[in-house]
Amino acid sequence: MPKPDGSLSAVVVSGGKQYRVAPGDQILVDRVGAEPGSSLKLGRVLLFQDGTDVRVGTPAVEGIDVEVKVIAHRRGPRIETLRYKSKKRVRVHRGGRADLTALQIIAVGGRTAEAEPATAGKAAKEKAGARKKAAPAVKAQAAETAEPDKKEEAAEPAKRATRKPKAKETR
């Protein structure tokens, strides 16, 4: 999924459906007649976004295309439909699986993922990694700074309070 921060992305049409893509993304589209490993160009681009510059096509943006690489041909999940009418002896069962193609987006408008600033991506990954590693360390540090009496109390399981029997009403 493209980032909403205004980086390079586009909206393309394939098989009558619209997909929002960015370089490096992988999408599943209806079956395309190309061999796995080959590259294609999707020429129908409805919207092109590059930083703060946004171009909307009427109906398509001229001179912009999206270069994709065919990864594999797959089949979608099994979809079943069942029509049933009670007391009428009508039971119709239909089902099928969609033929799909996995595509990897190589370039949008002639620009690849490497053309974008790599330092911003590294900083975001480092921050995410630092958060994941820092959380357990903070918990461990908080446990160490707790008073020894509280540690011992926390180690013992909490005792369950006994219930008092209800008073029976007499008539």
Side-chain angles (χ1 to χ4, degrees), residues 16-128:
K17 298 175 187 151
Q18 299 176 6
Y19 301 91
R20 185 173 178 195
V21 297
D25 288 351
Q26 292 184 359
I27 58 173
L28 283 173
V29 299
D30 289 339
R31 184 64 57 102
V32 177
E35 294 297 319
S38 64
S39 62
L40 300 170
K41 290 196 176 192
L42 301 176
R44 194 162 170 211
V45 178
L46 303 180
L47 182 136
F48 178 72
Q49 177 181 1
D50 182 22
T52 58
D53 180 37
V54 177
R55 288 196 278 172
V56 179
T58 53
V61 179
E62 296 296 324
I64 300 291
D65 55 358
V66 175
E67 187 177 345
V68 298
K69 179 181 175 185
V70 177
I71 298 173
H73 295 296
R74 301 179 185 163
R75 297 198 67 199
R78 185 173 177 177
I79 306 287
E80 293 186 51
T81 60
L82 181 67
R83 190 176 79 205
Y84 170 78
K85 293 186 178 180
S86 63
K87 302 175 190 168
K88 303 293 182 191
R89 294 184 181 174
V90 175
R91 289 172 181 85
V92 179
H93 179 257
R94 293 187 179 132
R97 296 177 69 182
D99 293 323
L100 304 173
T101 301
L103 300 176
Q104 181 172 11
I105 310 303
I106 298 171
V108 175
R111 298 181 191 163
T112 61
E114 290 82 30
E116 293 185 36
T119 57
K122 284 185 179 180
K125 287 181 183 178
E126 289 174 4
K127 285 182 183 178

